[in-house]
Amino acid sequence: MTAAPTTGAAAAAGQNTPTPKTTHPCDADVHNWADPATESQRIEFWERAAGLLDWEAPWHTTHTWSPADPQAKRGPQISWFSGGTLNASVNCVDRHVAAGRGERTALHFEGEPGDRAEVTYADLQDRVNRAANALESLGIGPGDRVVIYLPVLVETIVITLACARIGAVHQLVFGGFSAEALRFRIEDTGAKLLVTTDGQFRRGKAVPVKANADEAVSGDNSIEHVLVIRRTGSDIRWVSDDLNGDGLGRDLWWHEVVDTASAEHTPEFFDAEHPLFIMYTSGTTGKPKGLVHTTGGYLTGTLFSYLRLFAHPDPTKRDADVHWCTADLAWVTAHTYEIYGPLAAGATQVIYEGVPNVPHPGRHFEIIDRHRVTSYYTAPTLVRSLMGWFPDGVPEHYDLRSIRLAGTVGEAVNPEAASWLRSQIGRDTHDDDGNPTLPLVDTWWQSESGSTVLSPRPETTRFKPGSVAGAMPGWEVAVVNDAGAPTAPGVQGNIVITKSGPSMARTVWGNPERFYTSYWQDYAQQGWFLAGDGAQYDAEDDIWILGRIDDAINVSGHLLSTIEIESALISHPDVVEAGVAGVSDPTTGQAAVAFTVLSAAAAERTAEDAEAESGLNEELRAHVGQVIGPVAKPRAVIAVPEVPKTRSGKIMRRLLAQIHDGEPLGDTTSLQNEPCVAQITEICRARGTMSPAPTPATTPATTPTP
């Protein structure tokens, strides 16, 4: 099928679409923009949002969409702002300096050991220019791939923006990933350059990193240079072999190549559909998928959604905004709301290198206090950890009055965590009746969407803890059954994106067929994107996310939400976190097994007392039965030190089921806490759960086991 262009009025009349001009994004009153109600309004809305960026040349066609092709197993062909040219780095740095905002702080850096740095936009421009010149001196140009294997450092943002400045495609890898996970990404992207450190500070220690990098590039790949930042002073192996005949060794020091480069650099401008970065998703089956995001559309969705969700609604008060997204820079949340979104808006933000409980559990509160953070965007899993570390609430000596808004991302926030976040982080924002009034944007989106799809609006006064409310402007979603029919309120269905924004991924790197089979195949006829999450409407048409579709548990014909059971467990004072998985059961077909992370007091109480442990487990089963109903009682409750999570904070429930039943494990290298897999495996082995899964009964029982 041929592409169908969707354009503004000027293009429809046969003219080039003029690039809309607006004021600086810091002054854009996006909170008062009307939500589009028709398709033409939706296109005009995104044209207006794109006008928040600086374009070197205007686009001629706003949007084209060619439907998925089931016969060719090809996903839809998507483009936005075709013909327009821009530079992501210029939009994030140069234009703010040119607007006289060069002395504004861009980054408050906090290192885990306690070192700090303040980086202005003028300083950031100087650093990015040097890095761009260094990249070009190493033979990196437009379209070349650069893998960045770094912790949260100023240099991580600098090299990311330098890649964007010269048109290189960046791929950030979490600094705690294994050599094997890094190797896959290097080989899959065909990267020419790897950027890494000698070591990184993690949990109070200097952890070697370069050895992983050396192992990852030891195979068959296209790496020509490894650029190394001196961070910890760790002893490292050095390779001086000249791999590409440029007279330079494979390994090069950052301070010798980047810091000595010229601070003057002339940017090149790229087509809106030029690839900006590759983002790998993680999973327990199959290889990670490398999602490709392009420049113009991604920046448009990123900048608008940052301003709409996190910037002060009054543009005259945004100079006081200090944003903190706590994600690691390798996660898509950080790309959108820690790199490109805030920097394109000219905002001030915090970046923190380490874990939240080093050297003490109040480190985040200390940082909020010191930098007067106004928006705090984090994962529900971190909130639950804070709840466990501070069962009596946040100590009064931390001044949190600057907090204006909180946000969550990664998984649907359970009501207990949402209430704690609003009442403790936002303890200074209560109404006359003592109810928390801190706005909470519980955002739902994915690596694939590139920016937020569903979220409560920050100005609303009606929050439902655990509900992601409705679609952001310019996006449309639905909750449907397998046949594509809308589900009734209270009935679980599949959440689909029926109209996507411009930040949507375009394909899977090197595997377009997988882009089709993973996301578009199930609803190809309708042209809908299958997100992979279960959801339901409530009576007021607000949406509630119920976890991954393949995480739902069917117990004797009852479809149970893992997140609902986990929320019930977490509401018990002895449970800090829980992961619930569906495992084989000879009577009911499937059964729920709960893996719980206990509070320090409960862990100490049950550590050496089998009777106390058994009693608590039965108490937790009964508690779930009381909160949800007897059908939801876990068959077993197993205490573990951690539950396995992706870098986005999603609990890998299928992996828990595989461990429990003794099945072969899929890919675990992308987990943020991979060592816990061996620990949980040993616990399940000791409990005898890892025997071969039994064959389900021919006729499942109609009532659950008590």
Side-chain angles (χ1 to χ4, degrees):
M1 301 180 70
T2 58
T6 313
T7 66
Q15 306 168 17
N16 281 353
T17 303
T19 305
K21 296 297 182 185
T22 69
T23 55
H24 190 279
C26 286
D27 303 319
D29 191 11
V30 300
H31 291 72
N32 286 324
W33 290 9
D35 284 15
T38 66
E39 179 62 13
S40 62
Q41 290 175 357
R42 190 175 79 91
I43 298 304
E44 290 170 0
F45 173 87
W46 286 121
E47 288 177 348
R48 188 180 185 186
L52 296 172
L53 298 169
D54 278 5
W55 295 79
E56 178 68 8
W59 60 85
H60 55 69
T61 305
T62 302
H63 178 44
T64 62
W65 170 279
S66 176
D69 184 341
Q71 288 187 330
K73 293 187 176 181
R74 175 189 57 74
Q77 304 296 291
I78 306 167
S79 69
W80 285 87
F81 315 117
S82 296
T85 60
L86 73 169
N87 185 289
S89 179
V90 168
N91 273 279
C92 290
V93 185
D94 300 54
R95 66 169 172 161
H96 306 312
V97 178
R101 302 173 65 86
E103 296 310 307
R104 178 177 175 83
T105 298
L107 305 172
H108 294 293
F109 168 73
E110 292 265 352
E112 190 182 87
D115 54 321
R116 301 173 202 159
E118 304 289 320
V119 180
T120 67
Y121 275 95
D123 184 27
L124 187 59
Q125 182 183 47
D126 179 281
R127 297 184 188 211
V128 171
N129 284 351
R130 292 180 189 275
N133 282 316
L135 288 175
E136 290 178 334
S137 74
L138 298 178
I140 304 298
D144 288 336
R145 277 78 64 200
V146 176
V147 171
I148 302 168
Y149 183 50
L150 295 173
V152 179
L153 300 173
V154 172
E155 291 88 346
T156 313
I157 291 179
V158 167
I159 196 66
T160 299
L161 293 176
C163 288
R165 190 175 188 85
I166 68 169
V169 182
H170 60 75
Q171 204 289 295
L172 273 70
V173 181
F174 171 52
F177 275 1
S178 67
E180 191 56 38
L182 178 59
R183 181 199 303 273
F184 171 77
R185 288 154 175 79
I186 288 170
E187 295 179 358
D188 195 55
T189 60
K192 291 174 63 176
L193 174 69
L194 171 65
V195 186
T196 188
T197 55
D198 56 349
Q200 63 175 314
F201 293 106
R202 194 77 176 168
R203 302 189 186 280
K205 297 179 180 179
V207 179
V209 171
K210 177 63 161 49
N212 276 355
D214 290 336
E215 182 179 345
V217 300
S218 63
D220 184 12
N221 56 67
S222 301
I223 289 292
E224 297 176 356
H225 296 291
V226 176
L227 186 59
V228 186
I229 296 168
R230 181 179 286 158
R231 173 61 180 152
T232 61
S234 304
D235 291 333
I236 60 174
R237 173 174 170 260
W238 199 256
V239 178
S240 300
D241 298 348
D242 183 357
L243 300 183
N244 66 349
D246 63 1
L248 301 174
R250 189 200 76 175
D251 294 351
L252 303 167
W253 282 114
W254 174 285
H255 58 270
E256 293 178 352
V257 175
V258 177
D259 292 347
T260 60
S262 170
E264 299 295 326
H265 183 271
T266 301
E268 184 178 346
F269 296 90
F270 302 96
D271 188 86
E273 286 297 311
H274 183 83
L276 180 63
F277 66 88
I278 300 169
M279 172 59 58
Y280 282 90
T281 63
S282 55
T284 56
T285 58
K287 295 178 180 179
K289 299 184 290 289
L291 298 158
V292 178
H293 284 282
T294 56
T295 306
Y298 173 77
L299 280 181
T300 297
T302 292
L303 174 56
F304 168 77
S305 59
Y306 167 78
L307 290 171
R308 187 63 180 83
L309 292 173
F310 298 108
H312 198 291
D314 183 349
T316 66
K317 297 182 179 180
R318 287 182 188 157
D319 280 348
D321 281 354
V322 179
H323 178 63
W324 187 14
C325 170
T326 67
D328 186 90
L329 290 171
W331 184 27
V332 71
T333 294
H335 282 56
T336 301
Y337 299 117
E338 199 171 349
I339 302 177
Y340 288 109
L343 293 178
T348 296
Q349 61 177 326
V350 168
I351 60 171
Y352 173 52
E353 177 186 26
V355 295
N357 58 344
V358 172
H360 55 81
R363 186 69 184 271
H364 274 213
F365 309 138
E366 179 182 84
I367 293 172
I368 291 171
D369 188 344
R370 176 160 45 248
H371 297 296
R372 312 311 301 146
V373 171
T374 57
S375 52
Y376 180 66
Y377 189 40
T378 193
T381 181
L382 175 58
V383 178
R384 292 191 288 266
S385 294
L386 292 170
M387 292 170 65
W389 298 335
F390 296 96
D392 299 323
V394 179
E396 287 295 329
H397 64 269
Y398 294 113
D399 183 355
L400 308 181
R401 287 175 294 175
S402 62
I403 290 290
R404 180 182 53 79
L405 177 144
T408 54
V409 63
E411 286 196 320
V413 64
N414 57 294
E416 291 73 24
S419 297
W420 190 93
L421 184 62
R422 297 187 73 200
S423 63
Q424 292 300 313
I425 305 294
R427 63 190 177 194
D428 296 309
T429 55
H430 286 73
D431 61 20
D432 293 339
D433 297 324
N435 299 313
T437 58
L438 181 76
L440 175 62
V441 288
D442 179 14
T443 61
W444 177 86
W445 58 292
Q446 301 176 304
S447 298
E448 294 83 354
S449 69
S451 65
T452 299
V453 178
L454 299 169
S455 176
R457 307 296 170 88
E459 68 275 10
T460 186
T461 57
R462 183 174 59 89
F463 287 98
K464 302 175 183 177
S467 169
V468 292
M472 290 283 287
W475 295 81
E476 294 179 16
V477 303
V479 180
V480 299
N481 62 22
D482 290 344
T487 57
V491 176
Q492 179 169 337
N494 306 323
I495 189 164
V496 293
I497 298 174
T498 59
K499 294 285 186 180
S500 61
S503 61
M504 198 78 179
R506 301 299 193 253
T507 189
V508 168
W509 180 264
N511 195 345
E513 181 178 324
R514 197 174 181 195
F515 188 59
Y516 170 76
T517 57
S518 297
Y519 305 115
W520 302 96
Q521 179 173 261
D522 289 34
Y523 297 101
Q525 183 177 358
Q526 297 92 337
W528 297 344
F529 174 92
L530 177 63
D533 278 340
Q536 66 184 27
Y537 292 110
D538 63 18
E540 297 172 299
D541 285 336
D542 285 329
I543 294 175
W544 298 69
I545 301 297
L546 302 175
R548 300 298 293 172
I549 292 169
D550 50 12
D551 286 335
I553 304 173
N554 192 334
V555 179
S556 296
H558 299 273
L559 196 63
L560 303 176
S561 162
T562 54
I563 286 183
E564 191 175 12
I565 300 173
E566 289 164 4
S567 292
L569 287 163
I570 294 167
S571 69
H572 191 282
D574 285 337
V575 179
V576 173
E577 190 155 39
V580 173
V583 302
S584 299
D585 188 273
T587 304
T588 61
Q590 274 191 310
V593 170
F595 296 81
T596 57
V597 180
L598 301 179
S599 67
E604 182 178 354
R605 189 173 71 245
T606 59
E608 304 296 335
D609 189 335
E611 187 174 337
E613 179 185 11
S614 177
L616 176 59
N617 290 345
E618 286 306 308
E619 182 181 332
L620 293 176
R621 292 184 69 242
H623 178 71
V624 172
Q626 183 178 12
V627 173
I628 302 176
V631 69
K633 281 185 180 180
R635 187 181 73 187
V637 177
I638 302 172
V640 294
E642 293 181 275
V643 289
K645 300 171 195 168
T646 67
R647 281 306 305 160
S648 63
K650 289 184 174 67
I651 297 170
M652 298 303 291
R653 299 175 183 89
R654 285 177 295 155
L655 182 60
L656 288 171
Q658 290 167 341
I659 294 173
H660 181 277
D661 288 348
E663 297 176 354
L665 304 185
D667 171 47
T668 64
T669 59
S670 296
L671 297 176
Q672 62 165 286
N673 55 350
E674 188 181 9
C676 78
V677 173
Q679 296 172 314
I680 299 171
T681 300
E682 184 54 39
I683 291 169
C684 288
R685 184 176 290 113
R687 291 176 64 101
T689 72
M690 299 183 67
S691 56
T695 302
T698 303
T699 304
T702 57
T703 56
T705 53

